[in-house]
Amino acid sequence: MKHSAENIKAIMSEFPLYGDFVSAGPYGSGHINDTYAVAFNQGGTPVRYILQRINHDIFKDPVSLMDNIERVTRHQAEVLRGLPDTSRRAIMVIYAKSGKPLYQDRDGNYWRVYVMIEGAHSHDVLETPSQAYHAARAFGSFQKLLADLPGGRLHETIPKFHDTPSRVAVLKEAVEKDACNRAKSAEKEIEFVLAREGVVSKLIDLNKAGLIPERVTHNDTKLNNVLLDDATGEGLCVIDLDTVMPGLALYDFGDMVRTGTNSAAEDECDLSKVTSNPAMFAALAEGYLSEAAAFLNDKEVEMMPFSGILITLEIGVRFLTDYLQGDVYFKTSRETHNLDRCRTQFKLVESLEAQEEKMARVVVEALGKARVLDAS
Ligand code: ADP
Ligand code: GN1
Ligand code: MG
């Protein structure tokens, strides 16, 4: 949904911001919310904000969602207080004139405003192992910081979000229904999933067996959901907090592998370009473990290579389901966009499967380095 600069100016006037509205335009490449960069002139100094319309078809309870985000960002601010540059290390929510963290317009849309973190960017495709290291370290540090979040369990903003077997069950229903007559064009992809049904409950089963714990996790650790500092390359701020809720740490690491090791874009059509880059995997494992080794248990560490395979399969299943259901969930810009994304994911699954043993050795090495770092 696109909103004009005039609309946006009116929405921004519901927030108690100092200065004059200058301009607004669409921002970023997220698949879910509508994001705008909004420029203000504050006494001669240009200042920008992020304005977002929360996709309430997907996030059914935006008030609970913002309650989670307030709790998480308040805790981050408390823990980070005193460090240099704290205002660039955690999202800052701007409260509306109503005193609430959201403004609801006459059409029922929910809007929120964040301070724009300047001098930092997110990357859709990572270019260097150093970027991978720093992005993964930032997500590890985020999980570590939230380990002692006060106030009890967070709301589940999307129930069963990383319940891979449920995702497969929904896919099967979509195949059965074939609402858009598209199943024929995705026969190979459907087969691909059915051939892997045996592994989809592996992490959930380990959790049920008490071998891996529930934690506060991000759940959408696509690497464009972390801002890297333009000057230092450091992982500065974890963003896109809508799915921060109870979850398994491994789904977070897995999604870093899905998005950080892919040598091509998520929707690349030339599948010969899609492979998992082992140097990126090593950097992700090192960066993540430099923070997470302090709290992960042995089983979680052991499952790190598998987690990348599983979530890549899961996200591929979700793209495929959305294709069959008529592109009702993810933003798309062409008819086969979701099918293309699914094919990319499945090609990546194959590449990761072929490297699983090698990745296990890399994780052991990375763990060793993290322990040396910790001891020094
Ligand atoms: P979506 O859920 O649609 O992915 P995000 O919250 O990830 O939305 O925001 C989309 C993009 O906007 C991000 O990838 C990032 O580039 C940018 N962005 C979001 N919040 C901020 C912020 N506080 N400061 C700077 N950039 C931001
Ligand atoms: C969505 O919001 P965004 O674009 O960061 C999706 C993730 C998927 C991702 C695939 C709430 O993430 O789960 O992994 O697209 N977010 C939601 O690119 O469904
Ligand atoms: Mg995002």
Side-chain angles (χ1 to χ4, degrees), residues 27-35 50 52 59 91-92 112 114-118 120-122 124 220 222 224-225 227 237 239-242 331:
Y27 196 73
S29 53
H31 294 341
I32 307 295
N33 295 316
D34 297 334
T35 303
I50 289 281
Q52 286 183 317
F59 295 106
I91 292 270
M92 168 72 78
R112 67 174 167 220
Y114 292 146
V115 171
M116 162 92 79
I117 294 164
E118 299 286 0
H121 286 92
S122 63
D124 288 339
D220 189 3
K222 181 152 110 172
N224 73 8
N225 285 330
L227 300 176
C237 183
I239 58 168
D240 204 344
L241 307 180
D242 298 335
K331 288 184 184 174

Short mmCIF file of all heavy atoms in Angstrom, two decimals, residues 27-35 50 52 59 91-92 112 114-118 120-122 124 220 222 224-225 227 237 239-242 331, ligand 1:
data_model
loop_
_atom_site.label_atom_id
_atom_site.label_comp_id
_atom_site.label_asym_id
_atom_site.label_seq_id
_atom_site.Cartn_x
_atom_site.Cartn_y
_atom_site.Cartn_z
N TYR A 27 10.76 3.25 1.96
CA TYR A 27 12.12 2.96 2.42
C TYR A 27 12.29 1.47 2.67
O TYR A 27 11.38 0.81 3.16
CB TYR A 27 12.38 3.74 3.73
CG TYR A 27 13.83 3.84 4.11
CD1 TYR A 27 14.69 4.68 3.42
CD2 TYR A 27 14.35 3.10 5.17
CE1 TYR A 27 16.03 4.79 3.77
CE2 TYR A 27 15.69 3.20 5.53
CZ TYR A 27 16.52 4.05 4.82
OH TYR A 27 17.85 4.15 5.16
N GLY A 28 13.50 0.94 2.35
CA GLY A 28 13.83 -0.44 2.70
C GLY A 28 13.19 -1.46 1.75
O GLY A 28 12.52 -1.09 0.78
N SER A 29 13.43 -2.74 2.07
CA SER A 29 12.92 -3.78 1.17
C SER A 29 12.24 -4.90 1.95
O SER A 29 12.33 -6.07 1.59
CB SER A 29 14.06 -4.33 0.31
OG SER A 29 15.14 -4.73 1.14
N GLY A 30 11.58 -4.55 3.05
CA GLY A 30 10.86 -5.55 3.85
C GLY A 30 9.67 -6.11 3.08
O GLY A 30 9.10 -5.44 2.23
N HIS A 31 9.30 -7.36 3.41
CA HIS A 31 8.20 -8.02 2.70
C HIS A 31 6.85 -7.83 3.38
O HIS A 31 5.84 -8.31 2.88
CB HIS A 31 8.44 -9.54 2.67
CG HIS A 31 9.61 -9.96 1.86
ND1 HIS A 31 10.19 -9.17 0.90
CD2 HIS A 31 10.30 -11.13 1.85
CE1 HIS A 31 11.19 -9.83 0.34
NE2 HIS A 31 11.29 -11.01 0.91
N ILE A 32 6.82 -7.18 4.57
CA ILE A 32 5.60 -7.24 5.37
C ILE A 32 4.98 -5.86 5.64
O ILE A 32 3.84 -5.60 5.24
CB ILE A 32 5.89 -7.94 6.73
CG1 ILE A 32 6.55 -9.31 6.51
CG2 ILE A 32 4.61 -8.06 7.56
CD1 ILE A 32 5.71 -10.36 5.82
N ASN A 33 5.71 -5.01 6.31
CA ASN A 33 5.15 -3.69 6.68
C ASN A 33 5.37 -2.68 5.57
O ASN A 33 6.14 -2.92 4.64
CB ASN A 33 5.83 -3.20 7.97
CG ASN A 33 5.51 -4.11 9.15
OD1 ASN A 33 4.36 -4.50 9.33
ND2 ASN A 33 6.51 -4.43 9.94
N ASP A 34 4.68 -1.52 5.67
CA ASP A 34 4.98 -0.40 4.75
C ASP A 34 5.87 0.55 5.52
O ASP A 34 5.48 1.06 6.58
CB ASP A 34 3.70 0.33 4.35
CG ASP A 34 2.75 -0.57 3.57
OD1 ASP A 34 3.24 -1.53 2.94
OD2 ASP A 34 1.54 -0.33 3.61
N THR A 35 7.06 0.78 4.99
CA THR A 35 8.06 1.59 5.70
C THR A 35 8.35 2.87 4.91
O THR A 35 8.53 2.82 3.69
CB THR A 35 9.36 0.78 5.89
OG1 THR A 35 9.05 -0.43 6.59
CG2 THR A 35 10.41 1.56 6.67
N ILE A 50 11.63 6.92 10.96
CA ILE A 50 11.05 5.78 10.24
C ILE A 50 9.58 5.72 10.65
O ILE A 50 9.26 5.66 11.84
CB ILE A 50 11.74 4.46 10.66
CG1 ILE A 50 13.17 4.40 10.11
CG2 ILE A 50 10.94 3.25 10.23
CD1 ILE A 50 13.30 4.01 8.64
N GLN A 52 6.14 3.47 10.09
CA GLN A 52 5.71 2.18 9.56
C GLN A 52 4.22 1.93 9.78
O GLN A 52 3.69 2.20 10.86
CB GLN A 52 6.48 1.03 10.23
CG GLN A 52 7.91 0.93 9.73
CD GLN A 52 8.67 -0.24 10.31
OE1 GLN A 52 8.56 -0.50 11.51
NE2 GLN A 52 9.45 -0.93 9.50
N PHE A 59 -0.10 -9.28 11.51
CA PHE A 59 0.03 -9.10 12.97
C PHE A 59 -1.36 -8.68 13.48
O PHE A 59 -1.74 -7.52 13.40
CB PHE A 59 1.08 -8.04 13.28
CG PHE A 59 2.46 -8.45 12.86
CD1 PHE A 59 3.07 -7.90 11.75
CD2 PHE A 59 3.15 -9.42 13.58
CE1 PHE A 59 4.34 -8.30 11.35
CE2 PHE A 59 4.43 -9.83 13.20
CZ PHE A 59 5.03 -9.27 12.08
N ILE A 91 16.43 0.39 18.97
CA ILE A 91 15.30 1.12 18.38
C ILE A 91 14.70 2.04 19.45
O ILE A 91 14.55 1.64 20.61
CB ILE A 91 14.21 0.12 17.94
CG1 ILE A 91 14.71 -0.72 16.77
CG2 ILE A 91 12.90 0.79 17.67
CD1 ILE A 91 14.43 -0.17 15.42
N MET A 92 14.36 3.27 19.04
CA MET A 92 13.71 4.21 19.96
C MET A 92 12.29 4.47 19.45
O MET A 92 12.10 4.97 18.35
CB MET A 92 14.53 5.50 20.01
CG MET A 92 13.85 6.65 20.69
SD MET A 92 13.76 6.44 22.46
CE MET A 92 15.42 6.86 22.91
N ARG A 112 3.41 3.49 13.49
CA ARG A 112 4.36 3.75 14.58
C ARG A 112 5.54 4.53 13.99
O ARG A 112 5.81 4.45 12.78
CB ARG A 112 4.84 2.46 15.22
CG ARG A 112 5.68 1.64 14.29
CD ARG A 112 6.29 0.43 14.94
NE ARG A 112 6.81 -0.43 13.89
CZ ARG A 112 6.73 -1.75 13.85
NH1 ARG A 112 6.15 -2.40 14.85
NH2 ARG A 112 7.24 -2.44 12.86
N TYR A 114 9.71 5.45 14.63
CA TYR A 114 10.99 5.19 15.30
C TYR A 114 11.95 6.32 14.91
O TYR A 114 11.84 6.88 13.81
CB TYR A 114 11.63 3.89 14.80
CG TYR A 114 10.94 2.60 15.15
CD1 TYR A 114 10.97 1.53 14.24
CD2 TYR A 114 10.30 2.39 16.37
CE1 TYR A 114 10.38 0.30 14.54
CE2 TYR A 114 9.71 1.16 16.66
CZ TYR A 114 9.75 0.12 15.75
OH TYR A 114 9.18 -1.09 16.05
N VAL A 115 12.91 6.55 15.77
CA VAL A 115 14.02 7.42 15.38
C VAL A 115 14.80 6.69 14.29
O VAL A 115 15.08 5.49 14.42
CB VAL A 115 14.94 7.68 16.60
CG1 VAL A 115 16.22 8.41 16.17
CG2 VAL A 115 14.19 8.47 17.67
N MET A 116 15.13 7.37 13.21
CA MET A 116 15.96 6.75 12.15
C MET A 116 17.40 6.69 12.63
O MET A 116 17.96 7.72 13.04
CB MET A 116 15.85 7.58 10.87
CG MET A 116 16.94 7.34 9.86
SD MET A 116 16.56 6.10 8.62
CE MET A 116 15.52 6.97 7.50
N ILE A 117 17.97 5.51 12.59
CA ILE A 117 19.38 5.37 12.97
C ILE A 117 20.23 5.73 11.75
O ILE A 117 20.11 5.08 10.70
CB ILE A 117 19.66 3.96 13.51
CG1 ILE A 117 18.86 3.79 14.82
CG2 ILE A 117 21.15 3.73 13.73
CD1 ILE A 117 18.71 2.39 15.29
N GLU A 118 21.01 6.77 11.89
CA GLU A 118 21.77 7.30 10.74
C GLU A 118 23.18 6.73 10.71
O GLU A 118 23.69 6.24 11.73
CB GLU A 118 21.85 8.83 10.82
CG GLU A 118 20.49 9.53 10.78
CD GLU A 118 19.85 9.54 9.39
OE1 GLU A 118 20.43 9.00 8.43
OE2 GLU A 118 18.72 10.09 9.28
N ALA A 120 24.23 4.12 9.21
CA ALA A 120 24.25 2.67 9.28
C ALA A 120 23.26 2.14 8.25
O ALA A 120 22.28 2.82 7.94
CB ALA A 120 23.83 2.21 10.68
N HIS A 121 23.53 0.94 7.72
CA HIS A 121 22.64 0.38 6.71
C HIS A 121 22.46 -1.11 6.90
O HIS A 121 23.33 -1.79 7.43
CB HIS A 121 23.20 0.64 5.29
CG HIS A 121 23.04 2.06 4.88
ND1 HIS A 121 24.01 3.00 5.11
CD2 HIS A 121 22.00 2.71 4.31
CE1 HIS A 121 23.58 4.18 4.68
NE2 HIS A 121 22.35 4.03 4.19
N SER A 122 21.32 -1.61 6.41
CA SER A 122 21.14 -3.06 6.34
C SER A 122 21.45 -3.49 4.90
O SER A 122 21.35 -2.68 3.98
CB SER A 122 19.72 -3.44 6.74
OG SER A 122 18.80 -2.89 5.84
N ASP A 124 20.83 -6.45 1.84
CA ASP A 124 20.02 -7.60 1.41
C ASP A 124 20.91 -8.80 1.11
O ASP A 124 20.56 -9.94 1.41
CB ASP A 124 19.18 -7.24 0.18
CG ASP A 124 18.05 -6.28 0.55
OD1 ASP A 124 17.68 -6.23 1.74
OD2 ASP A 124 17.54 -5.60 -0.35
N ASP A 220 13.27 -13.39 13.15
CA ASP A 220 13.31 -12.91 11.75
C ASP A 220 14.71 -12.32 11.52
O ASP A 220 14.86 -11.14 11.21
CB ASP A 220 12.21 -11.87 11.54
CG ASP A 220 12.06 -11.49 10.07
OD1 ASP A 220 12.76 -12.06 9.22
OD2 ASP A 220 11.23 -10.60 9.78
N LYS A 222 16.80 -12.40 9.30
CA LYS A 222 17.26 -12.09 7.95
C LYS A 222 18.32 -11.01 8.12
O LYS A 222 18.14 -10.08 8.92
CB LYS A 222 16.02 -11.57 7.23
CG LYS A 222 16.14 -11.20 5.85
CD LYS A 222 14.78 -11.39 5.17
CE LYS A 222 14.12 -10.09 4.80
NZ LYS A 222 12.92 -10.27 4.00
N ASN A 224 19.11 -8.49 6.59
CA ASN A 224 18.78 -7.07 6.41
C ASN A 224 17.98 -6.52 7.60
O ASN A 224 17.53 -5.39 7.57
CB ASN A 224 18.12 -6.77 5.06
CG ASN A 224 16.69 -7.26 4.96
OD1 ASN A 224 16.10 -7.70 5.95
ND2 ASN A 224 16.12 -7.18 3.78
N ASN A 225 17.85 -7.33 8.65
CA ASN A 225 17.23 -6.83 9.87
C ASN A 225 18.26 -6.47 10.93
O ASN A 225 17.97 -6.42 12.13
CB ASN A 225 16.22 -7.85 10.41
CG ASN A 225 14.94 -7.84 9.57
OD1 ASN A 225 14.58 -6.80 9.01
ND2 ASN A 225 14.27 -8.97 9.48
N LEU A 227 21.42 -3.43 11.36
CA LEU A 227 22.10 -2.28 10.75
C LEU A 227 23.58 -2.36 11.08
O LEU A 227 23.96 -2.51 12.24
CB LEU A 227 21.53 -0.97 11.30
CG LEU A 227 20.03 -0.74 11.07
CD1 LEU A 227 19.58 0.57 11.75
CD2 LEU A 227 19.70 -0.67 9.58
N CYS A 237 22.76 -2.22 15.33
CA CYS A 237 21.42 -2.27 15.91
C CYS A 237 20.59 -3.34 15.22
O CYS A 237 20.50 -3.38 13.99
CB CYS A 237 20.77 -0.90 15.74
SG CYS A 237 19.15 -0.81 16.50
N ILE A 239 17.04 -4.62 14.20
CA ILE A 239 15.75 -3.95 13.96
C ILE A 239 14.68 -5.00 13.64
O ILE A 239 14.92 -6.18 13.81
CB ILE A 239 15.86 -2.91 12.81
CG1 ILE A 239 16.33 -3.58 11.52
CG2 ILE A 239 16.83 -1.79 13.20
CD1 ILE A 239 16.20 -2.70 10.30
N ASP A 240 13.52 -4.53 13.21
CA ASP A 240 12.40 -5.40 12.84
C ASP A 240 12.03 -6.33 14.00
O ASP A 240 12.16 -7.56 13.92
CB ASP A 240 12.73 -6.20 11.57
CG ASP A 240 11.47 -6.64 10.85
OD1 ASP A 240 10.39 -6.59 11.47
OD2 ASP A 240 11.57 -7.04 9.67
N LEU A 241 11.56 -5.72 15.07
CA LEU A 241 11.33 -6.46 16.32
C LEU A 241 9.93 -7.07 16.44
O LEU A 241 9.55 -7.54 17.51
CB LEU A 241 11.59 -5.51 17.51
CG LEU A 241 12.95 -4.80 17.49
CD1 LEU A 241 13.09 -3.89 18.71
CD2 LEU A 241 14.10 -5.81 17.45
N ASP A 242 9.18 -7.06 15.34
CA ASP A 242 7.77 -7.50 15.41
C ASP A 242 7.60 -8.95 15.84
O ASP A 242 6.57 -9.32 16.38
CB ASP A 242 7.11 -7.35 14.03
CG ASP A 242 7.10 -5.92 13.56
OD1 ASP A 242 7.13 -5.03 14.42
OD2 ASP A 242 7.06 -5.69 12.34
N LYS A 331 4.85 -9.51 0.10
CA LYS A 331 4.76 -8.56 -1.01
C LYS A 331 5.42 -9.19 -2.23
O LYS A 331 6.52 -9.76 -2.11
CB LYS A 331 5.50 -7.27 -0.66
CG LYS A 331 4.78 -6.43 0.36
CD LYS A 331 5.52 -5.11 0.59
CE LYS A 331 4.83 -4.34 1.70
NZ LYS A 331 5.53 -3.13 2.08
P1 ADP B 1 9.72 -5.21 7.43
O1 ADP B 1 9.05 -5.92 8.57
O2 ADP B 1 8.79 -4.85 6.37
O3 ADP B 1 10.92 -5.98 6.95
P2 ADP B 1 11.62 -3.46 8.82
O4 ADP B 1 11.27 -3.06 10.22
O5 ADP B 1 12.67 -4.47 8.64
O6 ADP B 1 10.27 -3.82 8.03
O7 ADP B 1 12.05 -2.12 8.07
C1 ADP B 1 12.33 -2.08 6.68
C2 ADP B 1 13.70 -1.42 6.45
O8 ADP B 1 13.68 -0.07 7.00
C3 ADP B 1 14.85 -2.10 7.12
O9 ADP B 1 15.40 -3.13 6.36
C4 ADP B 1 15.84 -0.95 7.32
O10 ADP B 1 16.57 -0.72 6.13
C5 ADP B 1 14.94 0.25 7.56
N1 ADP B 1 14.75 0.59 9.00
C6 ADP B 1 13.79 0.14 9.82
N2 ADP B 1 13.89 0.70 11.04
C7 ADP B 1 14.95 1.53 10.99
C8 ADP B 1 15.58 2.45 11.94
N3 ADP B 1 15.11 2.62 13.17
N4 ADP B 1 16.65 3.17 11.50
C9 ADP B 1 17.13 3.02 10.25
N5 ADP B 1 16.58 2.19 9.33
C10 ADP B 1 15.52 1.46 9.68
#
